[in-house]
């Protein structure tokens, strides 16, 4: 078969379906093929590339490192093809689904109030929003955009800065009435603290000690999986919590939470970014519309 006769995009689509659906049988159903035809297609693909893409030793499909690389590039190429077709048929109109991954606090306090306005401006777009404070793999999660705090760890990702926020240590009035208000670092030892149940890029609570910033290790009395759960723990009187100011701004204004230890708060900030996979090509119109909107409208 000549190189011109090979339907590369078709092969990529079948291979991507097999990976995302977890096997050849499911991909066969989705692509209206037989499992044997899918298996032979992948075998021909491996023979032409000279690399094994999947391990078939178990019933579940497992990618080799070469398979992972081919899958990631195939997803990007197929997205570019789809976008080229959309440009040809609908110009630059933002259309189609956008999958967003964001932290629970950002999603609840910042993103949710903006959703209606964005959809009014882009009526042909649909949103699929998932909340998790854990850092996800954008390819594995199939997310178009992730909202993340702090520096990037992968050079394959591109970030657009949305703003920054201060971190505050807060507690409910009821908790402070029972336990007393801490005024020094030493006071923290007798207070229950709420912490995250997963590793953070910054360990401990940054505080001023004699003019120097230290990261005070904490042993949480309560551990939770996201910032919004931590907020609810603080509101319920479970202890002290250190949270982004936008997460607790309304609670402080309403008197439901009280900032503490502000005299030794170093005023450190946390930067927020809209993160997406960059492959050097044009962004889909729907993703570009979302990034432009967030950059203009987000206020932390």
């Amino acid at each position: 078969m000549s190189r011109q006769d090979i339907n590369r995009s078709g092969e990529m689509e079948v291979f991507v379906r097999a990976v995302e659906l977890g096997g050849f049988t499911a991909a066969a159903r989705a692509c209206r093929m037989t499992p044997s035809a899918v298996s032979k297609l992948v075998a021909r693909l491996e023979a032409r590339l000279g690399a094994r893409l999947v391990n078939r030793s178990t019933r579940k499909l497992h990618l080799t490192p070469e398979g992972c690389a081919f899958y990631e590039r195939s997803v990007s190429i197929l997205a570019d093809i789809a976008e080229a077709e959309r440009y040809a048929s609908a110009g630059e109109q933002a259309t189609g689904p956008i999958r967003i991954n964001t932290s629970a606090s950002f999603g609840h306090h910042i993103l949710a109030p903006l959703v209606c306005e964005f959809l009014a401006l882009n009526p042909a777009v649909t949103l699929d929003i998932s909340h998790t404070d854990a850092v996800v793999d954008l390819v594995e999660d199939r997310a178009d955009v992730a909202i993340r705090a702090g520096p990037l760890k992968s050079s394959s990702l591109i970030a657009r800065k949305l703003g920054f926020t201060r971190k505050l240590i807060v507690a409910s009035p009821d908790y402070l009435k029972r336990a007393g208000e801490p005024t020094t670092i030493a006071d923290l030892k007798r207070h229950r603290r709420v912490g995250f149940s997963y590793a953070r890029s910054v360990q401990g609570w940054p505080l001023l000690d004699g003019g120097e910033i230290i990261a005070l290790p904490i042993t949480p009395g309560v551990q939770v999986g996201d910032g919004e759960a931590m907020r609810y723990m603080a509101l319920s009187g479970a202890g002290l919590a250190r949270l982004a100011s936008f997460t607790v701004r309304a609670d402080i204004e309403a008197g439901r939470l009280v900032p503490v230890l502000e005299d030794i708060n170093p005023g450190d900030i946390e930067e927020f970014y809209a993160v997406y996979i960059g492959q050097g090509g044009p962004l889909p119109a729907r993703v570009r519309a979302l990034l432009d909107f967030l950059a203009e409208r987000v206020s932390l």
Side-chain angles (χ1 to χ4, degrees):
M1 183 181 292
S2 68
R3 295 180 65 86
Q4 288 80 2
D5 293 334
I6 300 172
N7 183 356
R8 286 177 169 77
S9 64
E11 288 181 337
M12 287 180 178
E13 185 170 358
V14 173
F15 179 75
V16 166
R17 285 294 186 93
V19 173
E20 293 180 346
L21 296 176
F24 293 163
T25 301
R29 286 195 297 267
C31 299
R32 297 183 180 181
M33 300 168 64
T34 65
S36 175
V38 173
S39 179
K40 289 178 180 178
L41 181 148
V42 174
R44 288 196 304 271
L45 182 59
E46 290 177 323
R48 191 175 79 248
L49 298 177
R52 180 176 290 277
L53 302 178
V54 298
N55 288 320
R56 300 170 176 82
S57 58
T58 63
R59 295 182 65 182
K60 185 176 180 181
L61 187 149
H62 291 280
L63 292 179
T64 64
E66 293 78 10
C68 288
F70 186 75
Y71 167 75
E72 292 180 9
R73 291 297 296 145
S74 294
V75 169
S76 175
I77 290 169
L78 291 172
D80 287 343
I81 291 173
E83 188 62 19
E85 292 175 346
R86 282 193 291 271
Y87 283 154
S89 63
E92 291 288 330
Q93 180 184 6
T95 180
I98 305 177
R99 182 169 173 80
I100 305 171
N101 184 283
T102 180
S103 68
S105 291
F106 189 97
H108 180 81
H109 297 281
I110 303 298
L111 185 60
L114 299 175
V115 164
C116 286
E117 181 182 355
F118 176 75
L119 292 178
L121 294 171
N122 301 276
V125 169
T126 60
L127 299 179
D128 179 357
I129 304 172
S130 62
H131 291 149
T132 174
D133 279 30
V135 177
V136 300
D137 184 312
L138 267 66
V139 173
E140 183 177 331
D141 192 64
R142 291 186 291 173
D144 295 297
V145 176
I147 310 299
R148 285 289 169 261
L152 297 180
K153 294 183 179 180
S154 173
S155 60
S156 66
L157 299 178
I158 299 176
R160 188 158 179 179
K161 188 174 179 179
L162 300 179
F164 61 87
T165 186
R166 287 184 71 232
K167 301 298 286 288
L168 303 173
I169 299 175
V170 297
S172 71
D174 286 345
Y175 173 81
L176 295 177
K177 184 177 180 180
R178 294 195 315 268
E181 182 174 344
T183 58
T184 66
I185 292 176
D187 288 344
L188 285 175
K189 295 180 180 179
R190 60 181 177 81
H191 280 269
R192 186 187 304 118
R193 287 153 284 173
V194 185
F196 288 106
S197 57
Y198 58 89
R200 303 277 289 173
S201 58
V202 176
Q203 300 299 319
W205 288 1
L207 293 168
L208 288 173
D209 184 17
E212 295 184 359
I213 299 176
I214 64 168
L216 182 70
I218 67 164
T219 302
V222 180
Q223 292 186 331
V224 295
D226 62 69
E228 197 60 11
M230 183 178 291
R231 169 178 168 260
Y232 280 113
M233 288 294 103
L235 287 169
S236 72
L240 305 176
R242 186 172 183 268
L243 290 161
S245 61
F246 68 77
T247 302
V248 295
R249 183 181 299 127
D251 296 317
I252 292 173
E253 291 174 355
R256 294 185 294 265
L257 291 174
V258 178
V260 298
L261 297 169
E262 281 293 273
D263 289 344
I264 56 174
N265 186 337
D268 58 305
I269 62 173
E270 190 170 48
E271 296 181 332
F272 279 77
Y273 298 88
V275 181
Y276 57 95
I277 298 173
Q279 300 292 346
L283 277 174
R286 66 188 189 281
V287 175
R288 186 170 62 254
L290 176 67
L291 293 171
D292 291 344
F293 175 82
L294 292 177
E296 178 181 348
R297 297 290 287 113
V298 165
S299 177
L300 300 179

